[in-house]
């Protein structure tokens, strides 16, 4: 008997020893497995938490003008910018011990398993916020063991590499709230028309209940079910001691104003401009298509909403609906190059081709100011005289003869000044100047002015036969308006990534590329197209606009058989307008030839309506002289027409006009324009 007992005891000890070793080995293997998994997770480092997010586009006053997405509305917001009520509600219903566990709530897992066993079905979930976040980021929502193992592995990696606040912020910005709204910001805007930080408890408790089943608990799908889940959620918050019972009761009865609209769905503001901005993100910032569309960028543009609306309305009002003619318009600030308005065509829905930046069209006489600026650098002045008559140019290198013609074949028949030639758009004077300077001079000058298209070295280049883009010619005239500083058209002021980090900021170009005194001389000459005093053998080219003007302008019109232009400016705004047919069909109707000029003046007048009237200041190194525009000489009291004209100091005329004097009548000099003394001289004398 004792022997049997002893044998049984030894067998039991042996069995227990075996169990101990098995348990020890199992524990060791489990520990080894855990260390291997965590070690591998540590080796892999932090998993990327980037998710597709809508990119937003802002005007110059930071009004949202557009967004890009692929059906997923998602805007990332920091945890501090989310209503505390929404955070507490989410934790109460989804993961009460979120800040206490390391990714897995084992107590909740055990409770869920017991509930499932009792019900003989899957009735209770046990996924933590971290597990759900891992699933949303990296995995499909299937129920295979492989997916569950991957979910556990990603959960470990996330918990090892990110803080609890970072995980919670990411979770709240990625979960689906129904109706295409991903994340709390998009959902708050959709359901309640407000930002996530502004939600009250009643709204937050409704919203926090939706992710359980957006098709079931959305207040737009079933308001009753949404209210039932809200009550459950508020009770959980009381149990979690986030709120008290009285506060919960008030929230349950609080009225709810459900909006049910995405804020930016109907935005169609400046579609041509927005396309140009996206292209700039791609070509200038070297961002890929996915980052642009789904990178959560915040793109701050230069667009002025008021001026953009005026531009679009002006085009719509002034061009006949029956006409097939197209247009391109660019308005920009000459000091910064910021593009304030852009029209790329009459109907974006019919054609997304952007004629403001993509079309290359002949600029006609709008190229002449660049030519005459080069002439000023080579010793010409506004009073330089040349004959305006039919002229045939012959060349020694075998090139064919060239005979330019003026509009309507009208010529002075004698000598005219450069100022008159510009105001009257005399083509003979322009070609003579071009050939005198050398045909490569205008090509080089155009490049200095920012013209990006290739210019042909031919006599007719002086008349604008080589194509340019609307945006380039607007930028070129900006150099006159700002005193000769280089300006490149700017569409984007700043770009932030989804974290709010600035990844691009436009730099202000400030290089002096023109001589300021000569830029000033050119500007004052360009006011001449609106000046009846320069009306010689033909009307000045801006004569039809004079009665619509309420402030000083400088500018130049241009026309070819197929293109009509008007480019002009004030010290605050430069605008270039082109009209023509896409197929290059001739512009035959008289009314269609006036579209560019009329669009330009009506846009400028309305765009600057609330802006102060500013005159063009004479630059240092210039001198103003009253001249007789017919001969470029200093005007006297006897001259019937005199015009204040600016010259580079030292190049002004010294000879007085004697055309209107009797033989014995003395010359009466026209007084020079007075210059105000500096304030300190007015106070202290001197």
């Amino acid at each position: 008997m004792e022997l049997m007992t002893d044998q049984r005891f030894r067998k039991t000890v042996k069995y227990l020893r075996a169990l101990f070793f098995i348990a020890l080995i199992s524990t060791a293997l489990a520990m080894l497995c855990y260390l291997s998994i965590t070690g591998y997770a540590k080796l892999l480092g932090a998993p990327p938490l980037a998710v597709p997010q809508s990119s937003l586009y802002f005007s110059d006053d930071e009004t949202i003008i557009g967004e890009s997405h692929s059906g997923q509305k998602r805007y990332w917001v920091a945890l501090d910018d989310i209503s505390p009520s929404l955070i507490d509600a989410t934790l109460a219903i989804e993961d009460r011990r979120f800040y206490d566990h390391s990714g897995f709530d084992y107590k909740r897992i055990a409770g869920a398993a017991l509930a499932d066993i009792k019900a003989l079905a899957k009735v209770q979930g046990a996924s933590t916020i971290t597990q759900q976040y891992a699933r949303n980021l990296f995995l499909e929502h299937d129920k295979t063991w492989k997916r569950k193992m991957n979910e556990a592995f990603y959960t470990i990696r996330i918990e090892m590499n990110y803080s609890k606040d970072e995980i919670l912020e990411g979770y709240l910005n990625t979960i689906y709230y129904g109706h295409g709204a991903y994340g709390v910001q998009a959902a708050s805007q959709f359901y309640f028309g407000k930002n996530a930080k502004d939600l009250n408890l009643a709204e937050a408790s409704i919203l926090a209940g939706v992710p359980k089943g957006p098709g079931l608990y959305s207040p737009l799908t079933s308001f009753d079910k949404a209210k039932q889940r809200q009550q459950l959620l508020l009770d959980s918050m009381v149990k979690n001691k986030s709120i008290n019972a009285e506060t919960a009761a008030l929230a349950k009865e609080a009225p709810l104003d459900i909006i049910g609209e995405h804020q930016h769905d109907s935005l169609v503001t400046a579609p041509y401009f927005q396309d140009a901005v996206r292209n700039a993100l791609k070509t200038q910032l070297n961002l890929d298509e996915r980052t642009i569309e789904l990178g959560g960028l915040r793109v701050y543009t230069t667009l002025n909403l008021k001026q953009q609306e005026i531009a679009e309305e002006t085009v719509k009002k002034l061009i006949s609906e029956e006409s097939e003619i197209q247009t391109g318009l660019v308005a920009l600030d000459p000091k910064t190059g910021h593009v304030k308005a852009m029209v790329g065509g009459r109907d974006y829905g019919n054609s997304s081709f952007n004629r403001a930046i993509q079309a290359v069209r002949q600029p006609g006489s709008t190229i002449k100011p660049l030519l005459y600026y080069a002439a000023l650098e080579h010793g010409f002045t506004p009073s330089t005289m040349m004959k305006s008559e039919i002229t045939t140019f012959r060349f020694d290198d075998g090139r064919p003869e060239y005979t330019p013609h003026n509009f309507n074949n009208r010529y002075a028949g004698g000598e005219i000044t450069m100022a008159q030639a510009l105001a009257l758009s005399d083509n003979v004077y322009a070609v003579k100047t071009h050939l005198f300077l050398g045909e490569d001079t205008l090509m080089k000058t155009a490049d200095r002015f920012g013209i990006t298209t290739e210019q042909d070295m031919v006599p007719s280049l002086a008349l604008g036969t080589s194509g340019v883009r609307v945006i380039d010619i607007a930028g070129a005239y900006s150099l006159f308006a700002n005193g000769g500083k280089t300006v490149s058209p700017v569409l984007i002021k700043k770009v932030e990534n989804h974290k709010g980090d600035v990844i691009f900021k436009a730099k202000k170009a400030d290089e002096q590329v023109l001589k300021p005194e000569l830029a000033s001389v050119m500007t004052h000459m360009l006011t001449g197209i609106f000046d009846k005093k320069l009306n010689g053998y033909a009307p000045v080219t801006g004569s039809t606009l004079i009665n619509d003007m309420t402030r000083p302008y400088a500018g130049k019109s241009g026309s070819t058989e197929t293109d009509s232009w008007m480019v002009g400016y004030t010290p605050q705004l430069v605008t270039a307008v082109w009209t023509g047919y896409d197929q290059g069909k001739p512009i035959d109707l008289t009314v269609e030839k006036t579209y560019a000029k009329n669009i330009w003046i009506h846009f400028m007048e309305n765009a600057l309506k609330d802006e102060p009237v500013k005159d063009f200041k004479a630059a240092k190194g210039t001198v103003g002289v009253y001249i007789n525009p017919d001969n470029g000489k200093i005007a006297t009291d006897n001259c019937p027409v005199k015009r204040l004209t600016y010259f580079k100091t030292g190049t002004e005329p010294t000879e007085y006009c004697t055309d209107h004097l009797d033989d014995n009548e003395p010359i009466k000099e026209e007084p020079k324009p007075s210059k105000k003394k500096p304030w300190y001289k007015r106070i202290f004398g001197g």
Side-chain angles (χ1 to χ4, degrees), residues 356-492:
I357 61 173
Q358 291 177 285
V360 177
R361 305 297 298 234
Q362 291 183 347
S365 293
T366 61
I367 202 70
K368 290 177 182 175
L370 279 63
L371 169 68
Y372 292 144
Y373 174 81
L376 292 175
E377 287 192 323
H378 286 77
F380 282 57
T381 78
S383 288
T384 298
M385 305 282 287
M386 282 195 282
K387 274 190 178 182
S388 171
E389 60 186 3
I390 294 179
T391 305
T392 297
F393 297 92
R394 297 177 176 85
F395 306 95
D396 295 334
D397 54 5
R399 285 186 291 170
E401 297 177 348
Y402 178 58
T403 306
H405 296 279
N406 282 348
F407 180 70
N408 287 337
N409 285 312
R410 300 179 73 170
Y411 305 89
E415 291 190 329
I416 60 172
T417 65
M418 181 195 283
Q420 277 184 312
L422 185 60
L424 304 172
S425 205
D426 189 280
N427 289 337
V428 176
Y429 193 108
V431 174
K432 285 183 176 180
T433 303
H434 177 48
L435 295 176
F436 177 84
L437 297 176
E439 292 171 272
D440 62 336
T441 300
L442 181 53
M443 292 177 61
K444 294 174 182 176
T445 303
D447 184 62
R448 286 169 61 193
F449 274 82
I451 302 298
T452 57
T453 47
E454 185 177 347
Q455 303 294 292
D456 297 325
M457 196 167 67
V458 293
S460 62
L461 180 60
L463 309 184
T465 54
S466 288
V468 300
R469 295 182 174 88
V470 177
I471 196 167
D472 284 351
I473 203 74
Y477 276 58
S478 294
L479 272 69
F480 293 135
N482 69 23
K485 293 182 179 179
T486 184
V487 166
S488 296
V490 176
L491 302 171
I492 302 169

Side-chain angles (χ1 to χ4, degrees), residues 11 109 172 182 221 273 305 371 477 482 597 634 651:
K11 283 183 178 180
I109 291 171
L172 289 169
Y182 287 78
T221 303
F273 178 84
L305 286 173
L371 169 68
Y477 276 58
N482 69 23
K597 286 182 181 179
I634 299 174
T651 67

Side-chain angles (χ1 to χ4, degrees), residues 602-618:
H602 282 87
F603 170 76
M604 291 293 283
E605 284 289 315
N606 289 312
L608 296 169
K609 190 174 182 180
D610 298 325
E611 297 294 324
V613 174
K614 290 188 176 182
D615 208 340
F616 298 104
K617 295 180 179 178

